[in-house]
Amino acid sequence: QVESSPAIGADGTVYIGSFDKKVYALDGRTGEKKWEFETGGDVRASSAIGADGTVYVGSFDKKVYALDGQSGEKKWEFEMGDKTYSSPAIGVDGTIYIGSEDKKVYALDGQTGAKKWEFEAGDTVSTSLAIGLDGTVYVGSWADRVYALDGQTGDKKWEFETAVYSSPTVGSDGTVYVGAGIKAYALDGQTGEKKWEFETG
């Protein structure tokens, strides 16, 4: 079974995870398998691809992996406190940001996998993170919070109270959009102040 969305490399290679605990690299033109990499658990989150072609992916084995996009060879792994549904987000400096069911957000060095910082989010972080143009990291937590974090330090800039089950996204003007319960919100990316809300059915 496949729940993750495909990620597509610059050369057209398609990377996708599966419940068989593997990450696959497929030729985008033919579907032919280039390589596979086996983790220790289901791979339900989508992969992210770095500027150098490195593939970053989290697994239910509580680990984040960095894989060579051409060969599938493991560059590094980092062990979190629990499994992850969250897809990695990549900062402009190559930092990898990812959330976990251990209620934390991690910032990792994209080259080495070394932990830069961690942030206690109060509850599970199952959605993916978004990064603003200024490097601010936006994350939703089951603690009914949207957080804005300094991407360099992990310090909290602001929080907005709402039940969050979807991944935030950032507009070109820095507005943060997020779906929460039966509402959609637009938040000021700098202050967390609510710009508007829309109630769905």
Side-chain angles (χ1 to χ4, degrees):
Q1 183 173 328
V2 174
E3 282 188 0
S4 70
S5 300
I8 304 175
D11 64 353
T13 300
V14 175
Y15 303 96
I16 194 161
S18 171
F19 277 36
D20 65 2
K21 306 179 181 180
K22 294 179 180 178
V23 180
Y24 293 93
L26 310 176
D27 186 297
R29 294 179 180 272
T30 66
E32 181 181 359
K33 184 176 70 175
K34 291 186 171 184
W35 53 258
E36 63 181 57
F37 176 83
E38 186 166 359
T39 75
D42 295 352
V43 181
R44 301 196 185 192
S46 302
S47 304
I49 304 173
D52 64 353
T54 300
V55 177
Y56 302 96
V57 63
S59 170
F60 266 37
D61 65 1
K62 307 179 183 180
K63 293 179 180 179
V64 184
Y65 295 92
L67 308 176
D68 184 292
Q70 293 299 311
S71 67
E73 181 181 357
K74 182 178 69 176
K75 293 185 172 183
W76 54 256
E77 64 180 53
F78 175 82
E79 187 163 358
M80 301 174 291
D82 207 337
K83 59 184 179 289
T84 184
Y85 291 92
S86 177
S87 300
I90 306 175
V92 292
D93 63 352
T95 299
I96 306 301
Y97 303 97
I98 191 167
S100 170
E101 289 217 336
D102 66 0
K103 307 178 182 180
K104 293 180 180 179
V105 176
Y106 295 93
L108 310 175
D109 185 297
Q111 293 298 313
T112 66
K115 183 175 69 176
K116 292 186 170 184
W117 52 258
E118 62 181 54
F119 173 78
E120 174 59 59
D123 207 334
T124 294
V125 178
S126 64
T127 61
S128 300
L129 289 65
I131 304 174
L133 292 175
D134 64 353
T136 300
V137 177
Y138 301 97
V139 59
S141 165
W142 285 15
D144 294 346
R145 295 288 189 279
V146 178
Y147 295 105
L149 309 177
D150 184 297
Q152 293 298 313
T153 65
D155 292 337
K156 183 177 69 175
K157 293 185 171 184
W158 53 257
E159 63 181 63
F160 178 80
E161 185 173 353
T162 186
V164 183
Y165 300 101
S166 71
S167 303
T169 190
V170 186
S172 58
D173 65 350
T175 300
V176 178
Y177 302 94
V178 65
I182 60 169
K183 292 184 178 180
Y185 291 98
L187 309 176
D188 185 296
Q190 293 298 312
T191 66
E193 181 180 357
K194 182 176 69 177
K195 293 187 172 184
W196 53 254
E197 66 181 63
F198 175 80
E199 188 167 333
T200 71

